[in-house]
Amino acid sequence: GGNNAIIITENADLDLVIRGTLFGAVGTAGQRCTSTRRLFCHSSVVDTVANGLAKAYEQVSIGNPMDASTLVGPLIGDHAVDAMRHAIEAATEQGCTVLTGGLEGIDRFADDPGHYVTPTIVRVPKGGDPAIAKDETFAPLLYIYEYDNLEDAITQQNSVDQGLSSAIFTDSVRSAERFLSHAGSDCGIANVN
């Protein structure tokens, strides 16, 4: 599981953000204990990142993991599909918006053998903190948050019990140092462009 986070600052390399987040969130169908589950984007880049990720998610190959062209294989079982369905339903009830995937992305594979789902992106309203995003969902489900202040993003990123990894994309050495300091991320790495 894990509710691992990435913070995106206003001066990050957004092409690198899209590529890194895509693989971190959907590689191994989001079933790695260090899969990216939460993305904290500065308000000046959140729309660009959300739109870029939604476009990238629509191009993801889903299928047999033994096929070299596949990025997203099946979930481990029915219980994982049910957990993802529950999380999407709860997120929308808690004020979030599905950008891509969603319940239709689960139902799309209902008659197929295996436990396939479409990777899903959920946009959290600005200032929102949906309870469901703090639960571990062992599936390709990404929550996108918006922030204005790095301190707030770090605090919110650290607000879950089960975050095993975290990262920051920034072009600011000062932001990277703050993130890596003893008062910053409770676990993480920095990518300074």
Side-chain angles (χ1 to χ4, degrees):
N3 276 330
N4 308 295
I6 300 175
I7 295 174
I8 313 302
T9 65
E10 63 272 23
N11 51 19
D13 177 336
L14 299 186
D15 290 332
L16 187 58
V17 165
I18 300 298
R19 289 193 315 269
T21 302
L22 177 71
F23 183 77
V26 305
T28 64
Q31 298 177 104
R32 202 175 44 245
C33 62
T34 55
S35 291
T36 304
R37 187 76 58 235
R38 299 173 302 135
L39 195 65
F40 294 93
C41 298
H42 189 270
S43 57
S44 66
V45 298
V46 67
D47 291 333
T48 302
V49 171
N51 293 335
L53 279 170
K55 189 178 292 185
Y57 268 51
E58 291 168 5
Q59 299 172 29
V60 166
S61 57
I62 302 166
N64 184 340
M66 301 305 285
D67 182 341
S69 66
T70 297
L71 181 59
V72 179
L75 297 183
I76 194 162
D78 286 333
H79 66 285
V81 175
D82 292 342
M84 184 170 174
R85 179 182 302 280
H86 167 73
I88 293 167
E89 290 170 345
T92 56
E93 289 169 5
Q94 294 170 23
C96 300
T97 304
V98 174
L99 299 182
T100 189
L103 297 177
E104 297 83 18
I106 292 175
D107 294 339
R108 168 182 161 199
F109 295 101
D111 296 328
D112 291 356
H115 307 287
Y116 294 97
V117 297
T118 302
T120 297
I121 299 173
V122 172
R123 178 89 179 251
V124 175
K126 187 170 184 177
D129 191 16
I132 190 62
K134 293 186 178 184
D135 289 348
E136 292 180 293
T137 304
F138 212 49
L141 176 59
L142 178 68
Y143 298 95
I144 297 180
Y145 293 77
E146 180 177 350
Y147 76 90
D148 291 315
N149 178 295
L150 181 60
E151 295 301 319
D152 294 339
I154 291 172
T155 298
Q156 196 166 15
Q157 173 222 267
N158 289 340
S159 71
V160 296
D161 294 330
Q162 54 309 69
L164 298 177
S165 69
S166 61
I168 187 170
F169 283 88
T170 186
D171 198 22
S172 165
V173 173
R174 186 179 303 264
S175 294
E177 287 294 327
R178 173 63 185 98
F179 177 82
L180 291 171
S181 75
H182 71 284
S185 174
D186 53 12
C187 59
I189 60 167
N191 178 321
V192 181
N193 301 327

